[in-house]
Amino acid sequence: MKNKGLFFILMVINALVLAACGSDNSGQSGSTESSGKSDQKWTEVQEKKELVVGTSGTLYPASFYPEDSDKLTGYDVEIMREIADRLGMEVKFEEYGVDGLLSAIKSGRVDMVINDMEVTEERKKQFAFSDPYKYSYSTMIVREDGLSGIEKLEDLEGKVAGGGATTVFAEISRHFGAEVKTYGNVTNDVYLRDVENGRTDLIINDYYLQSLALKALPEIEVTLHPDLKFHPTNSAIVMPKEADTLKQKVNETLKEMREDGTLTKISKEFFGGKDASKKPDEEIREIEGLDL
């Protein structure tokens, strides 16, 4: 059995390159080959009637084990269960540390990944992403006493940030001059207590995840920075680059779930009544000079 956790994400993988040459007939053959490859993953999952999905199981409230329970749940998990059900398939979750999730797609161990994965232009070159199922932005956990000496993002110079080694949040920290202390697949109390006791100064992560982590552990003397909201984000399901038909089926299902209110219902269940499936109204700072 596992406890609730706050964990972080980022990703890398390879792209499919098709070459066409010669006559019109060659071009048609290349088009047929491309179509076949784009349908291959969909055909594969249809035949086995099962979606194998990578997730961490430690990211509260997206993918986690409730206290005293051995059943995986969370916003992302329940969205994926609903998608699989509407596609007439079973779903099997495979758990990996955040830095291993995308490698699992590359190796073919999973068909897709759902774990609050942020969509970036660089990653879109290497993966297929569904339409977003969650919209958010980044915030910062700091000590209650003095806000860890941070008034603005530029004050991260010389500070120590806790996080995963290959996450967007780590990149933001480094961009502003912070040192990043990395962790394995640990639960959120480890991160928060390190900020409280001064081993680290801050944690940058998703607004919804950090808000709920603080609510779950009110005894730890840390807080969300009241003035810093930055880096608007979209989270989506990640698939192999060439899985066009699978992506289409997933997007069609997500659209149905958005229109019939299912995404809103699941979000409010896991995000304290808030609808993370819709874009926030707040003014969010874009970070310039950082290619994510």
Side-chain angles (χ1 to χ4, degrees):
M1 182 182 69
K2 303 184 180 179
N3 294 322
K4 297 177 181 178
L6 173 64
F7 203 54
F8 312 80
I9 51 245
L10 189 42
M11 51 191 93
V12 279
I13 237 159
N14 57 355
L16 173 69
V17 178
L18 297 175
C21 60
S23 66
D24 290 342
N25 288 339
S26 295
Q28 291 170 0
S29 175
S31 176
T32 301
E33 180 182 353
S34 176
S35 176
K37 288 188 176 182
S38 68
D39 290 338
Q40 182 177 348
K41 176 56 72 173
W42 175 243
T43 300
E44 177 185 320
V45 297
Q46 273 193 308
E47 288 177 350
K48 63 184 181 181
K49 293 294 182 183
E50 179 183 69
L51 288 171
V52 181
V53 181
T55 194
S56 69
T58 59
L59 182 63
Y60 178 78
S63 171
F64 69 101
Y65 289 86
E67 204 167 345
D68 300 323
S69 174
D70 60 0
K71 182 180 179 181
L72 185 68
T73 190
Y75 179 56
D76 292 29
V77 170
E78 298 308 327
I79 284 175
M80 183 53 65
R81 285 197 172 111
E82 182 68 18
I83 289 172
D85 183 63
R86 294 190 186 203
L87 291 175
M89 298 182 185
E90 299 294 324
V91 62
K92 177 183 178 182
F93 291 101
E94 296 285 353
E95 294 171 31
Y96 296 89
V98 66
D99 293 332
L101 282 170
L102 275 298
S103 298
I105 292 182
K106 182 178 180 179
S107 66
R109 286 173 288 167
V110 300
D111 301 313
M112 57 182 66
V113 161
I114 189 166
N115 201 66
D116 202 41
M117 289 283 183
E118 180 182 341
V119 182
T120 70
E121 290 304 314
E122 185 61 30
R123 296 171 198 164
K124 284 164 68 176
K125 297 174 184 177
Q126 305 170 73
F127 290 105
F129 283 85
S130 72
D131 294 334
Y133 61 84
K134 176 172 173 279
Y135 298 90
S136 189
Y137 54 89
S138 297
T139 52
M140 185 186 302
I141 285 176
V142 291
R143 284 184 287 280
E144 288 182 355
D145 183 14
L147 304 179
S148 297
I150 299 168
E151 295 183 3
K152 55 187 182 300
L153 286 173
E154 287 73 15
D155 293 335
L156 268 61
E157 180 75 36
K159 301 292 185 181
V160 180
T166 60
T167 66
V168 168
F169 309 113
E171 289 300 309
I172 293 172
S173 298
R174 294 187 186 102
H175 178 73
F176 287 101
E179 174 191 347
V180 177
K181 172 180 168 56
T182 61
Y183 296 76
N185 206 19
V186 299
T187 52
N188 59 349
D189 61 300
V190 176
Y191 283 98
L192 300 185
R193 291 196 187 282
D194 275 3
V195 174
E196 180 187 43
N197 65 31
R199 293 187 66 193
T200 60
D201 299 300
L202 64 130
I203 304 165
I204 293 177
N205 207 297
D206 173 79
Y207 160 71
Y208 290 107
L209 301 186
Q210 294 205 127
S211 297
L212 288 167
L214 294 182
K215 185 177 180 180
L217 294 164
E219 72 279 8
I220 303 178
E221 295 182 0
V222 294
T223 186
L224 280 183
H225 199 292
D227 303 319
L228 299 181
K229 299 177 181 180
F230 49 95
H231 188 56
T233 58
N234 301 332
S235 297
I237 301 164
V238 195
M239 291 163 273
K241 180 68 173 176
E242 68 276 10
D244 295 340
T245 303
L246 178 59
K247 174 182 174 180
Q248 177 187 339
K249 298 294 184 181
V250 168
N251 282 342
E252 289 172 353
T253 307
L254 282 172
K255 182 180 179 181
E256 291 174 2
M257 293 167 63
R258 188 178 301 280
E259 291 176 348
D260 67 20
T262 300
L263 286 183
T264 296
K265 180 180 178 181
I266 297 173
S267 176
K268 288 184 175 180
E269 178 183 352
F270 289 100
F271 291 113
K274 297 179 181 179
D275 190 357
S277 72
K278 296 180 179 177
K279 293 182 179 181
D281 295 327
E282 291 93 338
E283 183 177 343
I284 313 300
R285 174 181 172 179
E286 295 273 7
I287 298 176
E288 298 179 358
L290 180 59
D291 184 9
L292 296 174

